[in-house]
Amino acid sequence: MFELLGIPPQALFGQLLLGLINGAFYAMLSLGLAVIFGMLNVINFTHGAQYMMGAFAAWLLLGILGIPFWVSLVVAPVIVGLFGIVLEKVLLKRIYHLDHLYGFLLTFGLALVIEGLFQWKWGSSGAPYPNPIPGGFNLGFMFLPTYRAFVVVAALVICLATWYGIERTRLGAYLRAATENPTLVRAFGINVPRLITLTYGLGVGLAALAGVLAAPIQQVSALMGVNLVLVVFAVVVIGGMGSIMGSIVTGFGLGLIEGLTKVFYPPASNTVIFVVMALVLLIKPAGLFGQTK
Amino acid sequence: MAETLLKVAGLQAWYGESHILHGVDFEIRRGELVTLLGRNGAGKTTTLRSIMGILGKRTGSIAFDSKETIGMSSDHIARLGIAYCPEERGIFSSLNVDENLRLPPIVKPGGLSIEEIYRLFPNLLERRYSQGTKLSGGEQQMLAIGRILRTGADLLLLDEPTEGLAPVIVQRIGEIIRQLKSRGFTILLVEQNFHFAATVADRHYVMEDGHVVDMVASSDVQQSIGKLQTYLGV
Amino acid sequence: MTTQRVGYALLIVLALVAPTFAYPVFLMKALCFALFACAFNLLLGYAGLMSFGHAMFFGMAGYFYGHVVKAWDMAPELGLLAGVAGAALLGLVTGALAIRRQGIYFAMITLAFAQMVYFFCIQAPFTGGEDGLQGIPRKALLGGLIPIKDDKVLYYVVLAIFLFGYATIYRVIYSPFGQVLKAIRDNEQRALSLGYEADRYKLLAFVLSAGLAGLAGATKAMVQQFATLTDVAASTSGEVVLMALVGGLGTIIGPVVGAFIIITMQNYLAATGEFVLVIQGAIFVVIVLAFRKGVVGELAEWWKRRRAG
């Protein structure tokens, strides 16, 4: 077999696939974060916990009720999204008039509570979720597990559907307009507070959907979202939160960069995204796709 | 004589700590075109915003079609059939012209169709896929007026639609406003440009320091011109 | 003013006799976190910058201290100095990048850098990875004059360090520099138009805060004789925010009160495991929703109201 720069192709493509999968999660999560921030002016620190809840919901639905993966893919995000709606109605809506900082602190506190409770109930070691589509294809240069291919495709579809929903539909027009000038949109007769609640529910549902997709790949554990959300913050700083397509491209791109780093210089693979963030801050402080705000 | 569509009585309003309106009283009958005249800071824009319900604190009474709206949220008020065209026009930059036009939802039957609106403003049709804020000032103003015609609202609140526009465009907007009146819309117009206002309105209310201090019918404008000039400081 | 002086005098007397009735190691730990929280609050309360990554300065300084004292076998004073200097330098680099964005982005950037430092510490050889640096010797201070093996002696050293740090922050806040910082916090555009280079002031405040957080972290390593990943972790960054918030942002004594409350709480709840996190999270929620002024801020408010009517 041929080699590229001294790297066997199996390793290279294997890591690229892993990078693509990580990128898929970065894209889905940063997308939700950006949509929520646009409407609520809150950086949703609870995003990682809600991702974890998605995975847990699928795991519990399977373990207790025997509900299969494909049903959970729809049901789990709905359950977690409804939980998000309750959070918004009971807690978040009380702090919109305050500085952004308080939303950050409030959702950070919520993340601690949620993750602490899950850890208390189910421990932190994690449980496996069976692979719904085992097997794979031999592509000659690498082995491609079917489920992983499915995750990449599904994430792309989800991201593009979100983009379409926001950029091309009537509800999306309401969202974009309300992000710019909620007062005027409300004066046109649109129930903006309800729109805000709905947006939060959708953003949270998106995080949970990512969690369901992650369940068969990762261990389902209370702390699976803790480090992920911090990386996603860096992704959001790099991409800027102004553009939906920007979030998607940045997410996948950074996943690939991370994968390549794992091949060529493994010790830096954990930190490379933060290095990219530092470089972007130096060169284009507003972020790759961001306007200064 | 037509029924009263809007009756404002003893309206007081605040921006944060500052008390802007100190008891505003006036009324508009269905099908009328009425202006609020007055100097900068007299409270005209605040009056419109109060009617629309987008001010933090207001007291008194605003009855629309005999329904009291003082405690309602602005989306609720809009759904009764009041539409607002703000002074800063409020065109959304993340929406194209067509999306801007279709944004306000239809609240009752009787509004203009999209085709009728484009016929009224042919420029907008040409540029319908441009970003809303890429239009010229005059086109943005037409878009801001155009998009509230679809909703079926009976009462239009127009805040200084001629501000900063070239005379030809002001003339065009005058024609459109007269056309709207003839279609049966009731219009409350805030204007600084008295000469423009005089050509379109039935009656004028004059505001000073957060009160309505006078009312002049269009037919009496000639006799009252001296008095009006004193009010407006022109 | 006089009430304040009497208050401070009482507190100092209390601090001097505290080891007679409280466990000195607990007191020292609380003092380290109190200084850490004051350093954090200098930035948030007086410059309006919320760093969500302050653990990187606190934790790294502990490693620097441990490395200098244990691996290089040098005097503890040099260890403290290395902790402060290293943290300040780290503050200079991360601060210069972070102040390029404002508001909530600033918080996310500092958080991300702290996470980068955390991952670095897991892998770097000199931190001891998952085990951390253990068994840092307690060598005598001032060339052998002050033996710190005895907890009660060390307590007074730590108290002195804390008072030094506290006094520094006090001086900074009431200096012309502190006034400019507050002006920038309240209205950056106006400060800029008055000719102040806001970014330089912010950066200096950041470096100062990082250095003082480093002093706290190095002192903690001196007391506990170890430096571990916990002190650089995001949870520690969150804890210091919580301490300042509980005590009262923008009040100079608030973070001290907050630190003692949180450390005491952790002591009592240590046995309940995950519930420490749940309760800390719940405190965040309650404070943000209902007591944004914190303990000291609310008390001051209550006192003012009582005097007024």
Side-chain angles (χ1 to χ4, degrees):
Chain A
M1 241 4 256
F2 67 98
E3 291 195 351
L4 290 164
L5 303 165
I7 305 287
Q10 288 89 340
L12 178 65
F13 288 111
Q15 289 301 340
L16 278 181
L17 176 66
L18 275 183
L20 209 54
I21 288 174
N22 282 340
F25 290 114
Y26 299 158
M28 283 187 284
L29 292 173
S30 61
L31 202 58
L33 217 50
V35 173
I36 291 173
F37 183 67
M39 277 298 273
L40 284 76
N41 271 321
V42 167
I43 293 287
N44 185 34
F45 215 131
T46 325
H47 224 60
Q50 285 149 345
Y51 159 86
M52 174 274 288
M53 287 174 79
F56 253 99
W59 181 72
L60 291 172
L61 285 172
L62 180 71
I64 298 171
L65 301 172
I67 290 174
F69 176 80
W70 305 104
V71 179
S72 284
L73 209 49
V74 178
V75 175
V78 170
I79 296 173
V80 182
L82 287 175
F83 168 76
I85 285 177
V86 173
L87 278 190
E88 197 278 339
K89 290 220 152 223
V90 178
L91 300 174
L92 289 178
K93 72 164 190 193
R94 296 169 197 278
I95 49 129
Y96 296 148
H97 61 287
L98 301 172
D99 192 283
H100 291 171
L101 171 147
Y102 288 108
F104 197 63
L105 295 176
L106 178 66
T107 51
F108 174 70
L110 285 172
L112 289 184
V113 172
I114 294 169
E115 281 159 352
L117 287 174
F118 274 74
Q119 208 181 347
W120 166 72
K121 184 81 179 81
W122 286 287
S124 48
S125 53
Y129 187 98
N131 185 342
I133 22 178
F137 315 96
N138 193 344
L139 302 179
F141 55 89
M142 69 175 289
F143 179 77
L144 176 63
T146 319
Y147 183 72
R148 295 186 177 228
F150 164 75
V151 168
V152 174
V153 174
L156 264 176
V157 170
I158 291 163
C159 286
L160 292 177
T162 309
W163 172 84
Y164 183 86
I166 291 172
E167 296 293 337
R168 292 288 181 269
T169 66
R170 186 163 179 81
L171 180 66
Y174 287 165
L175 279 181
R176 277 176 285 145
T179 299
E180 271 186 64
N181 187 346
T183 311
L184 185 58
V185 170
R186 195 162 187 200
F188 284 150
I190 294 159
N191 189 336
V192 173
R194 192 181 296 160
L195 199 59
I196 290 176
T197 308
L198 189 68
T199 305
Y200 190 70
L202 286 174
V204 170
L206 202 56
L209 182 54
V212 180
L213 285 174
I217 302 180
Q218 295 194 356
Q219 294 278 311
V220 176
S221 89
L223 303 179
M224 66 192 285
V226 174
N227 285 335
L228 184 62
V229 74
L230 301 182
V231 177
V232 171
F233 283 166
V235 174
V236 159
V237 172
I238 292 168
M241 282 188 283
S243 147
I244 297 295
M245 219 26 132
S247 295
I248 300 172
V249 171
T250 313
F252 276 99
L254 286 170
L256 283 177
I257 290 176
E258 210 179 40
L260 285 175
T261 315
K262 227 169 236 161
V263 178
F264 292 105
Y265 187 60
S269 61
N270 277 334
T271 44
V272 64
I273 287 184
F274 303 110
V275 175
V276 173
M277 182 186 83
L279 290 175
V280 168
L281 285 173
L282 268 180
I283 299 159
K284 201 166 177 298
L288 296 179
F289 299 89
Q291 306 96 342
T292 330
K293 186 177 175 184
Chain B
M1 193 176 258
E3 57 176 317
T4 298
L5 185 63
L6 182 80
K7 184 173 170 60
V8 175
L11 174 65
Q12 305 206 34
W14 289 259
Y15 270 119
E17 292 292 296
S18 44
H19 193 170
I20 309 287
L21 301 183
H22 304 268
V24 172
D25 305 274
F26 68 94
E27 54 180 79
I28 308 173
R29 289 186 288 276
R30 193 179 282 280
E32 252 192 328
L33 201 167
V34 168
T35 66
L36 289 179
L37 300 173
R39 299 185 208 198
N40 266 335
K44 306 178 303 271
T45 294
T46 307
T47 304
L48 290 198
R49 293 172 66 92
S50 303
I51 296 170
M52 210 59 242
I54 47 186
L55 268 189
K57 190 179 165 199
R58 62 217 156 100
T59 62
S61 162
I62 302 172
F64 176 72
D65 213 357
S66 312
K67 270 193 266 324
E68 181 55 57
T69 68
I70 198 81
M72 288 185 187
S73 64
S74 64
D75 52 318
H76 202 153
I77 293 172
R79 291 194 167 271
L80 296 177
I82 306 183
Y84 174 51
C85 173
E87 187 179 4
E88 69 285 357
R89 292 166 194 148
I91 302 303
F92 296 101
S93 65
S94 54
L95 273 59
N96 66 26
V97 170
D98 199 59
E99 287 174 321
N100 263 290
L101 208 50
R102 291 172 195 266
L103 184 77
I106 291 173
V107 297
K108 47 168 110 165
L112 275 63
S113 70
I114 286 280
E115 291 72 28
E116 283 175 300
I117 295 171
Y118 278 134
R119 224 174 294 139
L120 211 52
F121 305 102
N123 290 13
L124 298 183
L125 181 64
E126 269 168 47
R127 309 208 50 186
R128 97 189 108 138
Y129 298 120
S130 311
Q131 187 187 338
T133 44
K134 291 266 163 69
L135 302 182
S136 71
E139 288 168 328
Q140 287 196 28
Q141 187 61 63
M142 295 187 186
L143 179 54
I145 296 175
R147 75 178 162 190
I148 59 173
L149 303 180
R150 225 181 106 250
T151 66
D154 320 90
L155 173 64
L156 309 183
L157 310 179
L158 308 181
D159 198 350
E160 302 214 25
T162 63
E163 195 190 16
L165 299 179
V168 202
I169 316 249
V170 172
Q171 215 175 12
R172 174 85 191 110
I173 287 181
E175 283 163 27
I176 286 162
I177 290 178
R178 271 188 293 268
Q179 224 170 325
L180 294 177
K181 178 176 153 58
S182 67
R183 274 178 170 270
F185 283 105
T186 310
I187 299 174
L188 176 58
L189 179 70
V190 161
E191 263 301 338
Q192 296 258 28
N193 183 342
F194 166 66
H195 299 285
F196 174 77
T199 61
V200 293
D202 299 313
R203 291 185 298 132
H204 308 280
Y205 284 104
V206 181
M207 287 193 73
E208 235 171 40
D209 300 327
H211 302 274
V212 168
V213 291
D214 206 347
M215 195 276 281
V216 179
S218 250
S219 49
D220 301 332
V221 160
Q222 286 313 320
Q223 296 94 297
S224 317
I225 199 94
K227 187 170 71 171
L228 279 168
Q229 276 171 346
T230 325
Y231 282 135
L232 302 176
V234 286
Chain C
M1 241 24 222
T2 41
T3 20
Q4 202 184 0
R5 280 206 190 140
V6 172
Y8 272 122
L10 282 174
L11 277 179
I12 287 178
V13 171
L14 184 68
L16 287 173
V17 300
T20 57
F21 57 85
Y23 186 47
V25 172
F26 162 79
L27 291 173
M28 288 190 278
K29 186 180 172 195
L31 281 176
C32 291
F33 273 99
L35 179 55
F36 182 26
C38 287
F40 166 82
N41 185 50
L42 170 65
L43 206 53
L44 177 55
Y46 295 92
L49 295 171
M50 184 169 79
S51 161
F52 220 98
H54 249 46
M56 64 178 147
F57 310 121
F58 186 70
M60 280 307 275
Y63 284 126
F64 291 143
Y65 175 86
H67 201 71
V68 167
V69 173
K70 193 184 175 196
W72 294 353
D73 198 21
M74 289 162 100
E77 292 90 338
L78 287 175
L80 292 174
L81 205 61
V84 173
L89 197 66
L90 186 60
L92 184 66
V93 176
T94 53
L97 287 165
I99 58 168
R100 296 172 72 92
R101 296 297 291 275
Q102 274 149 15
I104 202 67
Y105 280 100
F106 181 88
M108 288 200 284
I109 291 165
T110 47
L111 181 57
F113 278 131
Q115 190 67 3
M116 177 174 168
V117 168
Y118 176 76
F119 281 130
F120 168 78
C121 288
I122 291 181
Q123 291 169 339
F126 87 98
T127 61
E130 301 277 355
D131 301 327
L133 289 179
Q134 300 287 345
I136 304 167
R138 275 197 196 167
K139 285 187 273 189
L141 286 158
L142 297 180
L145 275 179
I146 308 177
I148 55 172
K149 286 217 163 62
D150 182 352
D151 282 341
K152 285 204 172 157
V153 177
L154 183 56
Y155 169 77
Y156 290 102
V157 174
V158 173
L159 182 61
I161 292 174
F162 168 78
L163 289 175
F164 164 77
Y166 189 85
T168 307
I169 292 169
Y170 194 91
R171 286 294 299 269
V172 167
I173 288 170
Y174 293 103
S175 69
F177 170 75
Q179 299 303 320
V180 178
L181 276 186
K182 275 177 252 175
I184 294 171
R185 175 195 67 188
D186 294 339
N187 189 341
E188 181 161 350
Q189 285 311 315
R190 200 176 60 198
L192 280 171
S193 68
L194 288 172
Y196 293 111
E197 287 181 63
D199 279 356
R200 292 181 91 177
Y201 281 89
K202 285 194 211 166
L203 183 55
L204 187 53
F206 195 82
V207 172
L208 215 86
S209 172
L212 286 163
L215 180 61
T219 308
K220 178 167 176 279
M222 175 166 80
V223 172
Q224 299 193 316
Q225 300 182 269
F226 59 75
T228 62
L229 282 172
T230 315
D231 287 344
V232 274
S235 53
T236 302
S237 292
E239 260 165 38
V240 75
V241 179
L242 184 61
M243 289 171 185
L245 200 64
V246 166
L249 298 174
T251 63
I252 182 161
I253 193 92
V256 181
V257 176
F260 272 86
I261 293 175
I262 298 296
I263 298 289
T264 310
M265 191 195 82
Q266 286 175 345
N267 252 17
Y268 280 104
L269 294 178
T272 62
E274 297 79 15
F275 260 90
V276 178
L277 280 186
V278 178
I279 290 170
Q280 286 191 357
I283 296 177
F284 261 110
V285 173
V286 170
I287 296 249
V288 168
L289 290 179
F291 302 104
R292 282 183 291 277
K293 293 193 176 77
V295 172
V296 172
E298 300 283 352
L299 277 178
E301 187 99 322
W302 173 80
W303 181 248
K304 230 190 280 172
R305 261 201 312 258
R306 219 188 72 142
R307 290 188 120 188

